[in-house]
Amino acid sequence: RDPAPQKGAVAFSGDWQDCWRANWRLRTANRVLVEVASWEAKDGPGIVAGARALVSGRPGPRLWRGGLDPAALFHPDRTFAIQATSSASEVRDTRWAAMSLKDGLVDGQRDRWGRRSDVDREDPDLHLRLRLHRDRATLLLDTSGEPLDRRGYRAVTTAAPVREQLAAACVLASGWDGRGPVVDPMCGSGTLLIEAAWVALGWAPGRLRRHWAFERLPGYDPQAFTAVLQEPLLTAGPNVRVYGNDLSAAALDAARVNLEQANLLDRATLTRGDAAAFQPPPGPGLVLINPPHGERLDTDAARWRAVGDLLKQRFKGWQAAVLTGEDHGKQIGLRPRRRIPVMNGPIEGRILVFDLY
């Protein structure tokens, strides 16, 4: 309920089943974080005081209304780890901020139980995040653990692979209805093809995942989570087929392995050759392209013009989504229907969406 776009995030409210459902279904998210508490904190002692009040039960910041209380969440039998970020705040040293939060939490535990939790940076029960912004501390609980982009099908990688959630964003941004084939004439290790097929088939992005951090939280109900897993998703293209092409034999080998891991190899056709010579299957359908660009692979204007020529000449009537560098979209020579700024790792880019006539 009440979705609110933020910079690099979307906030929403809900219950614990909504939290589990978000971890299971969200294709473009990296983590699902629960806001535990928020308080004014202009310095280290301010961070300590708020955290101590939260755990000890003294008057102070309130816990999120999702059904967890401080006594259950911060019991000293639970290990934890902390990551911190800071922006527009007096406290800029994130290590100092994380240390201050830890001191406040364990002081509150000693007040309440006479003992404290251990810190476990490798496999904690609680993945905690502290966000400082404009001298306000917000304590967040990471319910995902391992990032959600780690779908479980990428057994082999190639140079400059597109991240899974960014590949899914290309598919969703296109507005594709699931009909017709999916083509990637520069397919690399096959990520764009896999994400498109999973959308068409109604396969949740978490389907190969085995563990989430929320399974170790108090109040977790395995039977209720199983019911969430059994909820049907829209199957827009039950007969979808994917077609990948690449110049690199190694890339095609990687794509073949990853498609098999994703249970899609029987729906896939892979060919080796130059993208400019690629002959698509009968369409229309969806064409997805992530040309080499940015700092990781060399490129030039002529290659971007070749992408535009390929789309105009071979894919009339199709929908297309192209992941470009920040400045390369104009070189394609086509007017996009949508232009969405994104971060491709450390590189600024754009998702360009085209209707090809």
Side-chain angles (χ1 to χ4, degrees), residues 105-181:
L105 294 177
V106 299
D107 284 350
Q109 288 177 322
R110 290 192 183 101
D111 292 340
R112 193 160 196 158
W113 292 284
R115 57 194 181 94
R116 54 155 288 182
S117 291
D118 291 329
V119 172
D120 185 344
R121 294 182 177 85
E122 298 300 322
D123 187 29
D125 295 314
L126 302 179
H127 299 255
L128 301 175
R129 290 175 176 257
L130 174 65
R131 181 173 63 204
L132 294 176
H133 181 61
R134 295 180 179 175
D135 296 328
R136 188 167 188 84
T138 301
L139 178 59
L140 300 160
L141 176 63
D142 180 359
T143 67
S144 304
E146 191 174 31
L148 297 178
D149 64 324
R150 298 179 186 174
R151 309 279 207 242
Y153 61 70
R154 193 193 291 274
V156 183
T157 190
T158 57
V162 60
R163 293 182 69 181
E164 287 85 342
Q165 70 265 54
L166 189 53
C170 291
V171 178
L172 298 179
S174 73
W176 179 53
D177 61 6
R179 299 178 182 176

Side-chain angles (χ1 to χ4, degrees), residues 56-85:
S56 66
R58 297 174 180 176
R62 293 185 177 182
L63 197 70
W64 178 67
R65 61 175 184 264
L68 286 180
D69 64 78
L73 185 62
F74 296 108
H75 192 279
D77 287 344
R78 297 183 182 279
T79 60
F80 65 81
I82 298 170
Q83 292 183 332
T85 61

Side-chain angles (χ1 to χ4, degrees), residues 12 81 87 100 102 156 161 178 261 267 279 301 303 318 340 349:
F12 65 96
S87 62
S100 298
K102 185 268 295 181
V156 183
Q261 287 288 111
R267 298 175 179 268
Q279 294 292 336
R303 297 184 68 177
W318 290 56
I340 304 171

Side-chain angles (χ1 to χ4, degrees), residues 199-218:
V199 169
L201 293 166
W203 290 357
R207 68 191 307 267
L208 298 181
R209 190 176 175 117
R210 294 293 175 263
H211 301 289
W212 287 266
F214 61 73
E215 294 175 297
R216 296 167 71 170
L217 298 179

